[in-house]
Amino acid sequence: MSAGEHTGTPPDTTTGTGTATAPHILDNPAWASLTGAHSAFAEHPGGLRAGASRASRAARYDRDVSPFAALADPADPRSWADLAALVGGGGVASLAGVLTPPEGWETVGAIEGVQLVDTSLRAEPAPEAVRLGPSDVPEVLALIELTKPGPFLPRTVELGTYLGIRHRGRLVAMAGERLHPPGWTEISAVCTHPGHRGRGLATRLVRAVAAGIRERGEVPFLHTSAANTGAIRLYESIGFTLRRRPFFMAVRAPGNNPAKLP
């Protein structure tokens, strides 16, 4: 399959949820990533590492990789108990898709988001794009700070392929891969320096990142703030379709003794 071919999105990509007995994997993509492709970046209760997912019902990314945590089942009190053990009393976790945490948990921030999936995107390489790696992180973090596309930490670049476009040696646009549930890859950190907007750089990078995802036989998806209407219009115009509207929340565990990484 070539990068530009689209063989069809898996079933149930434009509904809000999966079936009553089988929720769609994109309803909980962070958990699917932390217990799958990204298990090496996952911390479980008790400081356990990769392979602990079978025994635990909560996990989070290493704190220099991503701020996100995840629950195996937000409706299961045991998942919340494991998350409390993971972050410790008074600890804060960043979650997606949870509207009302259990009694004793405090919501300290919430942003309505949108989840869009590729249904007709034209994916193609961008010859001018360069692969970004650890040595590029200072420049990447500076561009992220200027454009604020979402959280990006010193090791986020390890989660997947990140591509950038340079102008006279300076990084002016980038996009890359973040969450990686089976069969899917999230496109994230899409941003362009304000002085270089209007040239289609972000679109070229999204298409190029999507080409790499398609080459693996996977389907691109992405998240953005529901308030970012300009970006949503752009993504829909190039072939993404709104699937659901998750909330991104920061919640504080009961108590006042946060856990620490070992």
Side-chain angles (χ1 to χ4, degrees):
M1 180 178 68
S2 67
E5 291 178 347
H6 196 292
T7 58
T9 305
D12 194 28
T13 58
T14 56
T15 59
T17 61
T19 67
T21 56
H24 195 285
I25 196 166
L26 292 190
D27 293 347
N28 198 355
W31 178 255
S33 300
L34 283 162
T35 56
H38 289 166
S39 61
F41 302 108
E43 182 196 0
H44 297 269
L48 299 174
R49 306 300 299 180
S53 57
R54 293 181 181 176
S56 71
R57 299 175 180 86
R60 66 179 172 189
Y61 281 94
D62 288 334
R63 284 182 280 183
D64 55 355
V65 173
S66 172
F68 288 110
L71 302 164
D73 180 1
D76 183 357
R78 296 173 299 174
S79 293
W80 288 95
D82 277 359
L83 183 61
L86 177 59
V87 302
V92 174
S94 296
L95 301 170
V98 178
L99 290 176
T100 306
E103 183 177 356
W105 288 78
E106 175 190 2
T107 299
V108 295
I111 298 173
E112 184 182 3
V114 294
Q115 182 185 82
L116 301 106
V117 297
D118 165 22
T119 53
S120 59
L121 176 69
R122 187 182 81 247
E124 58 189 6
E128 72 274 40
V130 296
R131 178 78 178 259
L132 301 174
S135 64
D136 301 297
V137 166
E139 272 191 290
V140 168
L141 293 177
L143 184 60
I144 293 290
E145 177 62 26
L146 180 66
T147 58
K148 302 189 185 306
F152 198 99
L153 300 173
R155 293 180 56 214
T156 301
V157 72
E158 298 177 24
L159 292 177
T161 298
Y162 281 83
L163 300 178
I165 293 177
R166 296 185 178 276
H167 178 74
R168 297 178 180 175
R170 181 184 183 186
L171 183 66
V172 297
M174 64 172 285
E177 301 173 354
R178 189 172 59 178
L179 298 180
H180 194 177
W184 302 80
T185 298
E186 180 193 26
I187 298 177
S188 183
V190 181
C191 57
T192 303
H193 189 284
H196 294 267
R197 290 173 181 165
R199 298 168 50 195
L201 301 183
T203 298
R204 294 209 293 273
L205 286 170
V206 168
R207 294 189 193 280
V209 174
I213 295 169
R214 293 261 194 87
E215 287 287 354
R216 299 195 300 264
E218 298 171 349
V219 182
F221 73 105
L222 53 82
H223 295 102
T224 191
S225 166
N228 195 353
T229 55
I232 295 170
R233 284 195 298 270
L234 171 64
Y235 293 138
E236 290 180 330
S237 74
I238 64 175
F240 285 89
T241 298
L242 176 67
R243 179 179 177 270
R244 64 192 295 259
R245 294 179 177 271
F247 273 80
F248 296 93
M249 306 178 65
V251 295
R252 189 186 308 278
N256 56 10
N257 295 303
K260 296 182 179 180
L261 285 171

